Amino acid sequence: MILLSWTFLDDTDRSVPRHYLAISYPSLTMIRFSWIAAVVALTILLAVFAKPSLAERPNVLIIYGDDQGSIDLGCLGVTDLQTPNLDRLANQGLLLTQMYSAAPVCSASRVGLLTGRYPARAGQPGNGDLRSEEVTIGEVFRDAGYRTGQVGKWHLGQTAEKNPKGQGFEDWLGHLGGCIDNYSHFFFWAGPNRHDLFDNGHEVYRPGEYFPQLMVDRCKTFIDKPSDQPWLLYWAFNAPHYPYQGTPDWLERYKDLPSPRREYGAFLSTMDQYIGEVIEHLDRNGLSENTIVIYQADHGHSTEIRAFGGGGNAGPYRGAKFSLFEGGIRVPSIVRFPSKFPAGQTRDQFMTACDWLPTLCQLCDVKPPENTLDGVSIADVLSHDAKPPRETFYWQFGGGGKNAQWAVREANWKLIGNPRDTSANETQRKDGGRLKDKLFLADLSQDIGEENNVAESRPDITQRLLKLRAEMTSDFE
């Protein structure tokens, strides 16, 4: 033990600050140093216990997939598709087997990820703009001294206040709408046809250049920029969202698969291939040890006409995109952080996309926003396999009112209001998949496929969850 004390050589003369530092060891006698030595010793001790400097804080790469089936990764058991790069990332990090999107639709799910708030609380429970007054992870990390970037799909607003720069991402490249053709970069699905490719707010034309390659190139450029600052990069990959435009090589490899699994699978494996290029770039440049890499899908796979009616695999889960059954919101997720997290393990605790903002703030020593967060830090779950910090969550798809689809979960109980089953091809669903039952209750520990509605047979649980929903939404509905 080191014992620090201050004394004066001569108590009769204090005109000169002749302080001394005594350092005592069990086996050594008291040694006196001049006040200069004391200052040096204290400086060293303070440095040992000081917080890491800005330059020493971890980098963050968030990769966000689009319209992906709940089990569509090799590491989750799929055998008909190949995802070697994401499987390798899982082997080097943690596979999160009970991760939930904040919503079953593109914009709202991004709202939950970027703000750490229920999309309904943040004012966007559907597809549309994010309110400019909301505080995003880009703004939080930018204000903490990080370089911030966004690449790929935005789908949260097109004005200067609502585009990526307006929401805290200083450098960005991508499309502002929901999807584009990957070669012409036009949005074709609502007239008039609209070109949608922007570089830091300036419309750019790169006809014939494959958008996934443009994204990879920009990610590498952002990562390689000389700087003493750590960085946060949000890479919103627009796959396997329609249009299914996987490379010819992957289409050839999957030629024996039935349609639309073939088209969907080719685009998913193409995404995996291009993600692998960026992960390998981190590895080659010695950045992996101090970079948090997150992969997560935004929600379940699409069964829309524009997606050939399907292609994704929800495994044992009911539902798909636009549904609050498990297949619409339970998503593949992986995180790797070699300096803090173990490798090759799984985490089965209940987690949501809203949890990433407070978690990254804790891991990167960044002050979280002061507004109400619905996410909770899962840092201890990831590093130490701790108990889950949450048992409840609220989902809402669509604006307020009696017809909005919503769900509330408490432990293993999940209650859905105005449930909608989108498992089948869009053209084959009666009334858009809406069920006759206005309330659907399931015990996920006994019925992970949500096949049996026990809302009437367990009125105690139904009423408890209705009351919980009212409490959870009282300040924003």
Side-chain angles (χ1 to χ4, degrees), residues 318 323-329 414 416 419-420 435 440 450:
R318 184 178 187 177
S323 172
L324 287 174
F325 284 112
E326 294 287 283
I329 53 177
K414 180 179 166 192
I416 307 175
R420 185 178 175 190
L435 305 189
F440 191 102
E450 295 171 293

Side-chain angles (χ1 to χ4, degrees), residues 301 303 309-310 317-321 323 420-425 429:
H301 69 284
T303 53
Y317 310 120
R318 184 178 187 177
K321 181 180 180 180
S323 172
R420 185 178 175 190
D421 185 357
T422 57
S423 304
N425 184 316
R429 298 197 300 259

Side-chain angles (χ1 to χ4, degrees), residues 323-384:
S323 172
L324 287 174
F325 284 112
E326 294 287 283
I329 53 177
R330 192 155 173 159
V331 294
S333 187
I334 298 165
V335 60
R336 184 186 78 173
F337 187 19
S339 65
K340 297 292 184 181
F341 300 159
Q345 296 184 13
T346 61
R347 294 289 184 265
D348 302 322
Q349 294 90 331
F350 176 27
M351 311 173 191
T352 79
C354 291
D355 299 336
W356 286 122
L357 173 54
T359 301
L360 291 171
C361 285
Q362 179 177 338
L363 293 171
C364 299
D365 192 28
V366 167
K367 183 180 178 181
E370 296 181 356
N371 59 358
T372 299
L373 294 182
D374 298 300
V376 294
S377 176
I378 54 173
D380 290 341
V381 172
L382 301 177
S383 58
H384 306 305

